[in-house]
Amino acid sequence: MPRANPLAWLSEEIEGWKRAGTYQRLRVLESACEPVARFDGREVINLASNNYLGLANHPKLVEAAIEATRRYGAGSGAVRTIAGTMTLHVELEQRIARFKRVEACVVFQSGFTANAGTVAAILGPEDTIISDELNHASIIDGCRLSKARIRIFPHRDFEAAGRMLAELDGTPGRKLLITDGVFSMDGDIAPLPVLVELAERHGAIMMVDDAHASGVLGRNGRGTIDHFNLHGRVDIQVGTLSKAIGCLGGYICGSRDLIEYLYHRGRPFLFSTSHPPAVAAACLAAFDLLEQEPERIEKLWENTRYFKEQLRREGFDTGISETPITPIMVGDAALAHAFSQALFEEGLMATGIGYPTVPRGKARIRTIVTAVHTREHLDRALEILVRVGRRMGIGRRV
Ligand SMILES: *Cc1c(COP(=O)(O)O)cnc(C)c1O
């Protein structure tokens, strides 16, 4: 007798998403990641990447990757702690530590594993984590893995965070205050100066995830810690190599002891193979560019200011964004996905985002301009947004 399929419930679940209009097929990028790119056979203006500085397909990164591949091969052959630590990995960690003005750095396979692996490594069941409600999923997973008690404060509500910390004064166990530097779906910036002061006052470890701030905020893109001049006061800084740096990877910056500890206890570091040489070499080339060509970051912000201003002028609700991440709030998830689809058909790639990536009822399309979009690209994108928005009742009420 044929066995009943124990995964039959998956089909029902997926049919439900299709009925609700929240089912998403993966769009396939058929060109390099560029300001105008080809997805699913269509040339579109690409406002959906995290390629802030246009480094993902930069000739210097591409050359560095090819050169490293020729010299050192396609793969590293082992996890870092067994035999997979190559010269390029060490160079990259030293380079990032210097750039971030900290003692030491460890590179993980991704920003996700950096967050999850670190939080889980430094906290245990007797400890407490105080976490912003909009922190990235990798922070949330790390918190859960650690088995520590998790207390969530309302988004950017430092008074609530302060009350939670005060309640823990005098209790045993470590405390971790953790926040994104720039929030990935709303594009706003954490109130870091106050949070840092709270952590200091209550003896908590301060951890900041600068995935969307590295290469974007601070001098030469050093992130929110540099932006607010908080050097030496944030115990654990997280960054990604997958966004503005244009490649792949994540890193933790902090004291030498923190990094030594993670070399021994960061589970993704211990149990998952290190980057291919090409990745480390391309990242190194990207840090050269950050230091040599700060005008890329200026251009990114010039484009950001222009695009946001034009969107607001056209009556779009861009939420609370202060950075190049600019959501266009829609509310209903099915409408956000339909808006995104209609934009795509008119030549603009801007992804619809709904639950569980953002709370229910706060669906949106998310746009990110880059340093390599021209004014003409942005004007064309605006024209499409306005035209399609009018048709669908999104944007200016007339
Ligand atoms: C994208 C992102 C990550 C994950 O980085 P990857 O390198 O893509 O794994 C972590 N934290 C935040 C806030 C992010 O936006």
Side-chain angles (χ1 to χ4, degrees), residues 50 109-115 134-139 180-185 209-212 238-243 247-251 325 366:
N50 298 311
Q109 296 83 354
S110 69
F112 197 106
T113 55
N115 266 327
L134 294 189
N135 277 345
H136 192 260
S138 54
I139 292 179
D180 282 10
V182 169
F183 289 88
S184 52
M185 293 301 143
D209 176 1
D210 254 352
H212 279 284
V238 186
T240 178
L241 303 167
S242 325
K243 290 175 177 151
C247 303
L248 174 70
Y251 57 86
I325 300 171
R366 187 177 69 156

Side-chain angles (χ1 to χ4, degrees), residues 72 80 84-94 277 280 284:
Y72 299 108
R80 290 282 305 272
T85 295
M86 305 179 85
T87 316
L88 282 166
H89 297 133
V90 177
E91 257 179 62
L92 179 60
E93 291 182 338
Q94 288 169 348
L284 279 162

Side-chain angles (χ1 to χ4, degrees), residues 14 33 109 164 261 316 383:
I14 292 162
C33 178
Q109 296 83 354
M164 290 174 179
Y261 187 85
F316 289 108
E383 185 274 318

Side-chain angles (χ1 to χ4, degrees), residues 102-105 234-237 252-256 258-259:
V102 292
E103 278 179 22
C105 168
V234 171
D235 304 292
I236 308 178
Q237 294 186 45
I252 299 288
C253 283
S255 68
R256 194 161 307 282
L258 171 70
I259 303 315

